[in-house]
Amino acid sequence: MKRKLFSAALSTFALFLLMGAADATSQPATLLAELEPEANSLSIQAPQAALVAVQETANPDAWFEDIQRYQQYVNYVESNANQYPEYTTSPTVQNVGSYNYVSLAGYAQSVYPGAVVYGDSWSVSVTAGGVTATAVSGQIYMEVNGRYLYIPGGVQSIGGQICVPDTVAAKAFSGLQSGDSFYDQEALFWLSRVIYRESGNQSLEGQMAVGNVILNRVASPEFPNTVEGVLAQKNQFSTYASGVLAATEPSASSTIAAKLVMDGGVVEETQGALFFDSGVNSWAARNKRHIATIGGHKFYG
């Protein structure tokens, strides 16, 4: 159902990504522009009549209901296109791989009129509805109120706008719990440290893949159901038994990788992996199915 809503909504998302004013005195139809340092924020208002018609129709804490409100907004504008002719400009939604990318600023301003945007064509910070979302072109995640949301295709700069997958944009403005209260601190403590000790010299996705293995074990009935329990298993992670792991200071990237996987980020190539190694004759290499290699690690199911 959610996928159908997205497909329908995204087919017309261009109706307001390049929104201008409803009259000749409003701001031009652009979401980001080069501005003077003392005036570098941009807030573009959507037509108030359309927003008033749908503003109270959904629970902002529910992601799918937020999408329903967005669909209602699109439907209203479509049915009143003669009032808002600028909403019928050519689409700016673009496909990148298997993802539909949308302007982060445009999405926020469609859901929350008065959203404030700071940034340029390489990075953007959007504040709206109690949410501050920051995205940087080329990064594989977006930060939202201390939460880290994985973007497999990376943040994209398209047509001078910072764009993210539609699903990520919707999740970002769905009333997410803040990172301070969302992440279990004990699990984060151990996960960030084992990621650093095992893969701190790997790419961010390589570090995430190691974190995925740990959390896959936590979720499996064949292993303990906590991160520390998994690490404490006999003959699995020697750095835990020696005390080295507890004394380790994780890097910033290892902490981000831990948060990404705790927030549901999964490196697709290693989905379902329960073992990894960096050698050539490990027990896993001899007894388990090899499913992927990322950087210096092989992963097994």
Side-chain angles (χ1 to χ4, degrees):
M1 178 62 181
K2 287 185 283 187
R3 181 175 295 276
K4 288 182 68 179
L5 280 172
F6 259 122
S7 297
L10 285 168
S11 67
T12 53
F13 191 79
L15 297 178
F16 49 85
L17 278 183
L18 296 178
M19 62 180 69
D23 60 73
T25 62
S26 300
Q27 298 202 34
T30 180
L31 293 174
L32 294 173
E34 289 198 15
L35 304 170
E36 294 299 327
E38 64 271 20
N40 64 344
S41 67
L42 180 61
S43 177
I44 298 177
Q45 300 294 323
Q48 292 302 306
L51 289 164
V52 169
V54 299
Q55 189 69 30
E56 303 300 329
T57 62
N59 174 5
D61 293 327
W63 178 11
F64 73 94
E65 290 186 10
D66 208 37
I67 298 168
Q68 288 178 321
R69 179 173 66 175
Y70 168 54
Q71 180 63 60
Q72 288 177 294
Y73 177 86
V74 171
N75 291 343
Y76 183 94
V77 173
E78 283 184 318
S79 65
N80 294 273
N82 61 318
Q83 297 181 44
Y84 312 115
E86 66 275 18
Y87 277 40
T88 59
T89 55
S90 59
T92 58
V93 175
Q94 294 203 22
N95 296 104
V96 178
S98 59
Y99 302 95
N100 290 319
Y101 273 69
V102 297
S103 162
L104 178 60
Y107 184 89
Q109 290 169 329
S110 74
V111 177
Y112 295 101
V116 179
V117 179
Y118 294 90
D120 51 32
S121 60
W122 293 106
S123 65
V124 69
S125 180
V126 181
T127 300
V131 171
T132 297
T134 302
V136 178
S137 179
Q139 287 186 340
I140 61 169
Y141 63 86
M142 181 171 70
E143 184 180 355
V144 183
N145 284 9
R147 297 276 292 274
Y148 286 79
L149 309 183
Y150 180 43
I151 303 176
V155 177
Q156 302 283 331
S157 179
I158 302 173
Q161 297 184 45
I162 293 298
C163 298
V164 300
D166 49 19
T167 52
V168 178
K171 184 175 181 179
F173 293 99
S174 64
L176 285 180
Q177 184 181 354
S178 71
D180 288 341
S181 57
F182 175 78
Y183 297 117
D184 180 277
Q185 293 304 305
E186 182 177 1
L188 179 61
F189 177 92
W190 292 110
L191 190 59
S192 60
R193 282 159 174 77
V194 72
I195 288 174
Y196 177 70
R197 295 295 304 188
E198 298 289 343
S199 60
N201 63 344
Q202 302 295 302
S203 68
L204 186 55
E205 284 188 320
Q207 294 180 63
M208 286 179 63
V210 167
N212 284 150
V213 169
I214 305 301
L215 293 190
N216 286 346
R217 289 191 177 192
V218 171
S220 170
E222 299 178 14
F223 297 88
N225 62 1
T226 66
V227 173
E228 184 177 9
V230 166
L231 301 181
Q233 276 196 299
K234 185 177 180 180
N235 300 325
Q236 294 300 304
F237 296 90
S238 60
T239 53
Y240 177 88
S242 67
V244 169
L245 200 57
T248 295
E249 186 65 31
S251 65
S253 66
S254 296
T255 300
I256 290 173
K259 290 180 176 179
L260 284 167
V261 297
M262 290 176 71
D263 229 310
V266 176
V267 179
E268 185 176 359
E269 297 92 326
T270 60
Q271 191 165 13
L274 291 170
F275 303 88
F276 68 90
D277 66 33
S278 58
V280 295
N281 193 35
S282 69
W283 178 89
R286 298 192 306 273
N287 295 278
K288 295 295 180 179
R289 179 178 61 89
H290 173 255
I291 59 176
T293 298
I294 297 181
H297 286 100
K298 295 179 181 178
F299 296 84
Y300 306 86

